[in-house]
Amino acid sequence: MQTIADPNRLQKLILDEKQKNKIIGFVPTMGYLHKGHLQLLRTARSQCDILVLSIFVNPTQFGKNEDLGRYPKNIDADMELAEREKVDIVFFPSTKTMYPDNFSTYVEEKSISKLWCGAKRPGHFKGVATVVLKLFNIVQPDIAVFGEKDYQQSLIIRKMVKDFNMPIEILTCPIVRENDGLALSSRNTYLSPEERSCALLLKKALDYACDRFYKGVREADLIKSGMENILLNGNCARIDYIACVNNDTLEPKKILDSADRILLAVYIGKTRLIDNCQLP
Amino acid sequence: MQTIADPNRLQKLILDEKQKNKIIGFVPTMGYLHKGHLQLLRTARSQCDILVLSIFVNPTQFGKNEDLGRYPKNIDADMELAEREKVDIVFFPSTKTMYPDNFSTYVEEKSISKLWCGAKRPGHFKGVATVVLKLFNIVQPDIAVFGEKDYQQSLIIRKMVKDFNMPIEILTCPIVRENDGLALSSRNTYLSPEERSCALLLKKALDYACDRFYKGVREADLIKSGMENILLNGNCARIDYIACVNNDTLEPKKILDSADRILLAVYIGKTRLIDNCQLP
């Protein structure tokens, strides 16, 4: 396994490999890898010749009062996990290399990214789209793999790739959860033991929604108010949004259909967690 | 010479050729080719194995009240010229293919593109950057060639390529002029005979600026007011802007140095013409 910090060096190396007909697989991350990331790496590994993992805490996707400064890091553990997953190249650039002082060009998706997390975190998806475009141009992947916990993000990346005619196949992997149901996230590390218990309410609310739908309830408002009750019951969570949406457009729905999706963002203390599920 | 309208077909064909180590050269145009375009094609031709010319009148770079609807077209003449310049592939996509109904992702350069033509034509450079990114992703060029008449555009493209880590070399060609000095532009076709004479004032004003600088004048305001006099003298031109700027940043300058640049946008009747020159 090689670690490369210089974008130009990585790009040259990859273009050489592509010349030899190698399939490039790519998993972009902000590091502090967990089993969700490992699932992405395994999915990519099984479909490519050269597997590239990027570790870059992207400042442009954090809002002013968000957790950029305290985002968790453990590069040694990440390297060990990457090695174990047979990653070929870890791309670990500095912020200065990715965003030199006079950096001035951005990507903006103007439809899906205005909804939900986009509305709550202005500029977030612009930062995501911009860094992913940069990473795609550096790594030149044939396949890139994203997690469905960030479901809205995965749709925006797909949209960018389609709108910009990029020759890249985007794959997504289902959410990986702890045994008790909590969706894996690097941000779970922020939670105190009490908050960790409270965080289980997200999955509980999503399970409730699926169960109600399964039993025949179709009215989004009914399902949402039941979810609200569950989330607010413990007096430990603050709802950022609950959204019942079309699975492809993320437009809100009044009457739910099979394969629609429920999206959830909830503050547990100062930690903002997201989760989602597709209706049966 | 092949003509291809389908982006996916072209992209596949190019990726196959790149696999065979072929160097791809690219000249993006809006068609109605003139000798300026031919110079771009020759420059690209001399440095590549496969030369791609795109002809696409890009709607997203036109303002609401601009000349999108009447932009000149002559596809038969363009094809003949392309053939003569040994173009291998003409990419001639439909607007619907480039911008399907739900298109929603854009590129925005936020520094250079806010100045001069960017300030006068809001959204123009966003449209340019977006379509050029799309074309670059479809054509996958190693080399792309732009004309210096659109000097600000060429800087923005260079900036996008650098900021987005695109493995593409951007070349520019000097302005090609008619014998009497008028910079070649597809839009010259809009000019009546009287307007055509009036349009010579642009080059006359730029020549005056270079001459004054050569003779030791360094104050931008002095040079600009002399240029204004020349442009307004015939009572046939309306100045959109005169800018004395740093050659790389396009920031305005009070005291001029060698290699600074003068940019000019002038309305002759309803036709907006641009021109520029670098100081000696």
Side-chain angles (χ1 to χ4, degrees):
Chain A
M1 191 176 80
Q2 284 188 72
T3 304
I4 298 180
D6 176 15
N8 295 325
R9 207 186 126 214
L10 175 58
Q11 190 178 55
K12 254 177 222 146
L13 187 154
I14 298 270
L15 289 172
D16 280 355
E17 293 295 340
K18 288 183 77 121
Q19 209 59 50
K20 299 175 207 154
N21 257 308
K22 301 289 188 196
I23 305 292
I24 314 298
F26 180 42
V27 176
T29 77
M30 301 212 296
Y32 208 74
L33 303 182
H34 53 62
K35 284 181 199 159
H37 296 115
L38 304 188
Q39 197 48 55
L40 308 181
L41 290 171
R42 282 165 205 171
T43 301
R45 179 72 283 175
S46 70
Q47 302 191 41
C48 72
D49 299 310
I50 297 182
L51 175 54
V52 182
L53 161 71
S54 69
I55 298 179
F56 179 62
V57 180
N58 173 40
T60 65
Q61 73 188 68
F62 287 81
K64 252 188 185 171
N65 300 312
E66 292 183 2
D67 56 340
L68 173 60
R70 59 189 193 111
Y71 196 85
K73 286 184 171 62
N74 189 341
I75 190 68
D76 292 341
D78 289 350
M79 291 295 177
E80 211 177 299
L81 289 166
E83 185 92 53
R84 218 180 294 164
E85 298 301 328
K86 302 188 172 47
V87 168
D88 295 297
I89 302 171
V90 178
F91 179 47
F92 183 50
S94 71
T95 304
K96 235 357 193 222
T97 332
M98 291 295 277
Y99 298 108
D101 273 343
N102 64 348
F103 187 91
S104 64
T105 320
Y106 296 86
V107 178
E108 233 176 314
E109 196 286 325
K110 309 253 183 186
S111 166
I112 307 170
S113 68
K114 297 305 162 195
L115 301 164
W116 315 122
C117 280
K120 293 292 182 175
R121 304 180 68 188
H124 170 63
F125 286 126
K126 181 172 137 184
V128 169
T130 301
V131 82
V132 170
L133 184 80
K134 281 172 65 66
L135 291 168
F136 281 178
N137 286 336
I138 294 164
V139 176
Q140 302 271 324
D142 300 284
I143 295 160
V145 190
F146 292 81
E148 287 179 7
K149 188 173 72 63
D150 302 287
Y151 185 75
Q152 187 172 7
Q153 168 179 283
S154 74
L155 285 191
I156 291 163
I157 301 297
R158 278 187 201 281
K159 192 65 167 57
M160 175 180 78
V161 163
K162 180 165 175 279
D163 282 353
F164 284 173
N165 309 87
M166 309 186 84
I168 302 173
E169 188 183 354
I170 303 299
L171 303 178
T172 58
C173 291
I175 296 173
V176 177
R177 298 179 182 281
E178 303 281 9
N179 287 335
D180 59 10
L182 180 65
L184 290 184
S185 162
S186 306
R187 288 188 169 100
N188 291 347
T189 190
Y190 296 147
L191 302 170
S192 70
E194 294 74 29
E195 290 172 339
R196 175 70 183 67
S197 303
C198 179
L200 296 177
L201 292 175
L202 278 83
K203 180 62 162 58
K204 207 172 153 195
L206 291 172
D207 284 347
Y208 163 87
C210 285
D211 184 59
R212 294 284 283 166
F213 181 84
Y214 187 76
K215 286 178 177 147
V217 179
R218 293 292 175 268
E219 295 80 0
D221 282 347
L222 267 181
I223 287 180
K224 274 199 276 189
S225 69
M227 291 175 73
E228 260 173 46
N229 285 340
I230 289 169
L231 288 164
L232 300 179
N233 200 27
N235 254 327
C236 59
R238 183 163 64 79
I239 297 169
D240 200 30
Y241 67 78
I242 301 173
C244 298
V245 301
N246 175 288
N247 195 54
D248 300 316
T249 64
L250 298 196
E251 291 294 338
K253 298 197 60 171
K254 294 246 176 250
I255 301 300
L256 293 169
D257 290 308
S258 187
D260 283 343
R261 195 169 284 261
I262 318 267
L263 306 174
L264 202 52
V266 175
Y267 280 94
I268 311 288
K270 285 181 180 175
T271 303
R272 185 176 180 277
L273 299 178
I274 58 174
D275 203 342
N276 70 84
C277 70
Q278 191 168 25
L279 293 174
Chain B
M1 189 176 82
Q2 285 188 70
T3 304
I4 298 181
D6 176 15
N8 295 325
R9 209 187 124 213
L10 175 58
Q11 190 178 55
K12 253 177 224 148
L13 187 155
I14 299 270
L15 289 173
D16 279 355
E17 294 294 341
K18 287 181 77 119
Q19 209 58 52
K20 298 176 209 152
N21 258 309
K22 301 289 189 198
I23 305 292
I24 314 296
F26 179 43
V27 176
T29 78
M30 301 211 295
Y32 208 74
L33 303 182
H34 52 62
K35 284 180 199 159
H37 296 115
L38 303 188
Q39 197 48 56
L40 308 181
L41 290 171
R42 282 165 206 171
T43 301
R45 179 70 284 174
S46 70
Q47 302 192 41
C48 72
D49 300 309
I50 297 181
L51 175 54
V52 182
L53 160 70
S54 69
I55 298 178
F56 179 63
V57 180
N58 173 38
T60 65
Q61 73 188 67
F62 287 81
K64 253 189 185 171
N65 300 311
E66 292 183 1
D67 56 338
L68 173 61
R70 58 187 194 111
Y71 197 84
K73 284 184 172 64
N74 189 341
I75 190 69
D76 292 341
D78 288 350
M79 291 294 178
E80 213 177 299
L81 289 167
E83 185 92 53
R84 218 179 295 164
E85 297 301 327
K86 302 189 174 44
V87 168
D88 295 296
I89 301 171
V90 178
F91 179 47
F92 183 50
S94 71
T95 304
K96 243 335 197 236
T97 331
M98 291 294 277
Y99 297 108
D101 273 343
N102 64 348
F103 186 90
S104 64
T105 320
Y106 296 87
V107 178
E108 234 175 314
E109 196 285 325
K110 309 252 183 186
S111 167
I112 307 170
S113 69
K114 297 305 163 196
L115 301 163
W116 316 121
C117 280
K120 292 292 184 176
R121 304 179 67 188
H124 170 62
F125 287 126
K126 180 172 137 184
V128 169
T130 300
V131 81
V132 171
L133 184 81
K134 282 172 64 68
L135 290 168
F136 281 178
N137 285 336
I138 294 164
V139 176
Q140 303 272 323
D142 300 283
I143 296 159
V145 189
F146 292 81
E148 286 180 7
K149 188 174 71 64
D150 301 287
Y151 184 75
Q152 187 173 7
Q153 168 179 282
S154 74
L155 285 191
I156 291 164
I157 301 297
R158 279 187 201 280
K159 192 65 167 58
M160 175 179 78
V161 163
K162 180 166 175 280
D163 282 352
F164 285 174
N165 309 87
M166 309 185 85
I168 303 174
E169 188 184 353
I170 303 298
L171 302 177
T172 58
C173 290
I175 296 174
V176 178
R177 298 179 182 279
E178 302 282 9
N179 287 334
D180 59 10
L182 180 65
L184 290 184
S185 162
S186 305
R187 288 188 169 100
N188 291 348
T189 190
Y190 297 148
L191 302 170
S192 71
E194 295 72 28
E195 290 172 338
R196 175 71 183 65
S197 303
C198 179
L200 296 177
L201 293 175
L202 278 83
K203 179 62 163 57
K204 208 173 152 194
L206 291 172
D207 285 347
Y208 164 86
C210 285
D211 185 57
R212 295 284 282 164
F213 181 84
Y214 187 74
K215 286 178 177 146
V217 180
R218 292 293 176 268
E219 295 79 0
D221 282 347
L222 268 180
I223 287 182
K224 273 199 276 189
S225 71
M227 291 176 71
E228 261 173 45
N229 285 340
I230 289 169
L231 287 164
L232 300 178
N233 199 27
N235 255 326
C236 58
R238 183 162 64 80
I239 297 168
D240 201 29
Y241 68 78
I242 302 173
C244 299
V245 301
N246 176 288
N247 196 53
D248 301 316
T249 64
L250 299 194
E251 291 293 338
K253 298 196 61 171
K254 294 246 176 250
I255 301 299
L256 293 169
D257 289 309
S258 187
D260 282 344
R261 196 170 282 261
I262 318 268
L263 306 174
L264 201 53
V266 175
Y267 281 94
I268 310 289
K270 286 182 180 174
T271 304
R272 186 177 181 276
L273 298 178
I274 58 175
D275 203 342
N276 69 83
C277 69
Q278 192 168 25
L279 293 175

